[in-house]
Amino acid sequence: MNNTEKQFIELLSKSIRNDTNVEKYEDVNWSNVISLAGEHKVEGVIYSKIKENASKLNINESIAEELKTFAFYTAISEIRKIAFLEKIFNKFNESGIPVIALKGLVL
């Protein structure tokens, strides 16, 4: 595992645990961190931790803004999915068909 992947996991882990003590790894390719976040749809999760630790992480402002933009568009996409699922669940409910969401929005 390279330092870019370690930094990505560090940010994700600290975000999930609501831990503010983020370790900074050397030689991190921040563009690849953003790509990893996009692949896993966790831009918003790591963006908040990057924003809190921007000076410590010494991340380029344009990279942080790029991640912020991706996080924003991911959030909009998820809101649309939730609204669509609400319509579907309401139709099932109106027809008396019980619905159980087993694995979140990915299904």
Side-chain angles (χ1 to χ4, degrees):
M1 184 180 312
N2 64 40
N3 280 357
T4 297
E5 294 164 334
K6 288 178 185 177
Q7 188 70 72
F8 172 72
I9 291 170
E10 172 76 4
L11 291 165
L12 191 56
S13 174
K14 298 298 179 167
S15 294
I16 291 168
R17 290 178 175 79
N18 201 23
D19 186 345
T20 57
N21 187 22
V22 173
E23 182 179 344
K24 180 189 183 300
Y25 291 87
E26 297 299 321
D27 301 320
V28 171
N29 182 326
W30 287 102
S31 293
N32 286 350
V33 170
I34 291 173
S35 293
L36 284 168
E39 288 174 28
H40 298 283
K41 301 290 185 209
V42 293
E43 298 97 328
V45 175
I46 68 163
Y47 171 71
S48 63
K49 202 50 63 180
I50 286 174
K51 185 178 174 185
E52 290 173 8
N53 294 276
S55 60
K56 180 180 182 178
L57 295 173
N58 195 28
I59 185 170
N60 183 305
E61 192 172 320
S62 66
I63 297 287
E65 281 298 313
E66 183 179 355
L67 183 57
K68 180 181 178 180
T69 300
F70 285 138
F72 176 76
Y73 285 114
T74 298
I76 289 173
S77 174
E78 292 302 312
I79 289 168
R80 287 181 179 156
K81 288 177 189 175
I82 290 168
F84 180 71
L85 284 173
E86 180 183 31
K87 289 178 184 178
I88 292 172
F89 288 174
N90 285 338
K91 292 290 184 186
F92 278 114
N93 192 33
E94 289 168 7
S95 299
I97 303 170
V99 177
I100 299 173
L102 298 176
K103 185 139 167 90
L105 296 178
V106 177
L107 288 178

